[in-house]
Amino acid sequence: VNAAPVAEAGADFLVAPGDSVRLDGTLSFDTDGGIISYQWEFDDGAAPVDTSVVERSFDTPGVWSAQLVVTDNSGVSNATDTDDVTIRVNHAPVAEAGPEIETEALQIDVDARGSSDADGDTLIYTWDFGDGSPPVLGEQVSHVYDKSGIYPVTLRVNDGTGLSNATAVDTTVVTIKTRPVAMAGANRDVCSGQPILFDASDSVDPDGGLLLYSWDFG
């Protein structure tokens, strides 16, 4: 009475798109005879392969399956066995740093909740605020700048898989404006009817912007 062979397709895989996957069925066995054929079948439309070991890649993110079919030398109805292996091809995460920020305050708030991962992996968020300060972890973060200026802010998200497509980057810009300084000139004592030249040319915008001047003579 024939003992059916035992197919061993191996452990499941987690890979990035295009990574090589080695499917190995050589641990399959037959207790009362020998295995005479191996066949790998794929659910992504690839042609079956009649070898015990096959290397191939999967270019499309998603969850794919490969089935190993082994046949022993008995020629009876229970001469075959099957085993499946799952290949999860990782989706790259999507980083969303949010819109550009323009403010007069030195403290800003950033929000990465628009980021996503199609596989449902928990994301790790790292912010670089472009001012030389150490990176900060967190989905929603507050940061205080030392002075006004224009700062490139970089968000990096990581899905924790360690694969080549595990990270994504997005950038935004923070512009912190400084109020202009109005200089109307020194106080003066003049005679009635004497013309006075008012000069605001010492006024300045620390951000280098153009100034609009408006006088009110009281």
Side-chain angles (χ1 to χ4, degrees):
V1 179
N2 184 60
V6 177
E8 289 286 352
D12 294 338
F13 292 88
L14 173 60
V15 296
D19 284 354
S20 179
V21 176
R22 188 175 191 269
L23 300 169
D24 188 345
T26 56
L27 292 180
S28 304
F29 61 91
D30 184 51
T31 59
D32 60 355
I35 296 176
I36 60 172
S37 72
Y38 300 82
Q39 184 178 73
W40 288 97
E41 299 174 351
F42 307 100
D43 67 351
D44 66 343
V49 178
D50 295 327
T51 59
S52 59
V53 178
V54 60
E55 289 196 21
R56 57 159 304 188
S57 62
F58 296 79
D59 296 327
T60 304
V63 179
W64 306 100
S65 178
Q67 184 179 73
L68 172 65
V69 182
V70 297
T71 304
D72 68 19
N73 58 356
S74 66
V76 295
S77 60
N78 69 336
T80 62
D81 189 38
T82 63
D83 189 27
D84 293 337
V85 61
T86 298
I87 302 98
R88 179 187 147 192
V89 183
N90 190 55
H91 289 82
V94 177
E96 178 53 64
E100 295 186 2
I101 298 173
E102 186 173 306
T103 179
E104 293 178 355
L106 292 176
Q107 178 173 321
I108 57 105
D109 298 316
V110 290
D111 188 344
R113 287 180 296 177
S115 305
S116 61
D117 185 81
D119 300 312
D121 294 323
T122 299
L123 296 177
I124 302 167
Y125 307 87
T126 305
W127 294 92
D128 182 343
F129 290 99
D131 59 351
S133 61
V136 178
L137 297 176
E139 187 178 30
Q140 296 174 275
V141 174
S142 294
H143 182 71
V144 179
Y145 287 96
D146 291 333
K147 59 184 180 180
S148 61
I150 300 175
Y151 299 95
V153 177
T154 303
L155 169 66
R156 289 178 172 83
V157 297
N158 190 313
D159 65 13
T161 62
L163 299 171
S164 59
N165 70 335
T167 61
V169 177
D170 190 33
T171 61
T172 187
V173 175
V174 172
T175 302
I176 299 178
K177 291 182 172 291
T178 303
R179 289 182 179 274
V181 178
M183 297 293 291
N187 294 335
R188 278 172 283 180
D189 294 322
V190 297
C191 295
S192 175
Q194 179 182 343
I196 305 170
L197 176 63
F198 292 93
D199 185 354
S201 60
D202 287 334
S203 302
V204 64
D205 179 18
D207 299 317
L210 297 176
L211 295 176
L212 174 67
Y213 303 87
S214 177
W215 293 90
D216 179 355
F217 294 103

